[in-house]
């Protein structure tokens, strides 16, 4: 299997940007322009570990500060 082949549909994975949303119940965190690898056929997305870690930190901070709604951009 090629490394850029989608395991879901065998489509081609391409680098792109996505919008990450975390609904925590009390708070909603939206992060735009998140770097990701996206399947051009089925739209499945993969986020790199270092980016996922950053998103976790953003969500943890929003939770700590009890922000009800937060929209950020990584671009
Ligand atoms: Zn796919």
């Amino acid at each position: 299997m090629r490394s850029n082949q989608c395991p879901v549909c065998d489509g081609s994975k391409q680098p792109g940007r996505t919008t990450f949303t975390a609904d925590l119940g009390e708070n909603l965190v939206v992060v735009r322009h998140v770097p990701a690898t996206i399947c051009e056929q089925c739209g499945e997305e993969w986020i790199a570990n270092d980016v996922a870690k950053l998103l976790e930190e953003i969500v943890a901070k929003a939770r700590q500060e009890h922000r009800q709604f937060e929209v950020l951009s990584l671009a």
Side-chain angles (χ1 to χ4, degrees):
M1 185 189 272
R2 303 193 316 273
S3 65
N4 68 337
Q5 190 172 20
C6 174
V8 180
C9 73
D10 294 339
S12 178
K13 293 196 280 183
Q14 302 290 339
R17 299 262 171 177
T18 188
T19 299
F20 168 85
T21 308
D23 189 345
L24 310 175
E26 274 183 33
N27 353 56
L28 179 68
V29 182
V30 179
V31 187
R32 301 178 66 207
H33 305 296
V34 176
T37 305
I38 302 163
C39 173
E40 60 182 9
Q41 192 161 295
C42 72
E44 187 74 17
E45 297 164 352
W46 293 266
I47 292 174
N49 284 343
D50 53 339
V51 177
K53 209 175 167 189
L54 182 65
L55 293 172
E56 267 177 39
E57 284 168 17
I58 290 170
V59 168
K61 202 175 165 208
R63 200 196 286 263
Q64 260 175 21
E65 297 177 4
H66 302 290
R67 295 199 207 133
Q68 287 199 332
F69 183 64
E70 176 148 39
V71 181
L72 294 148
S73 175
L74 292 186

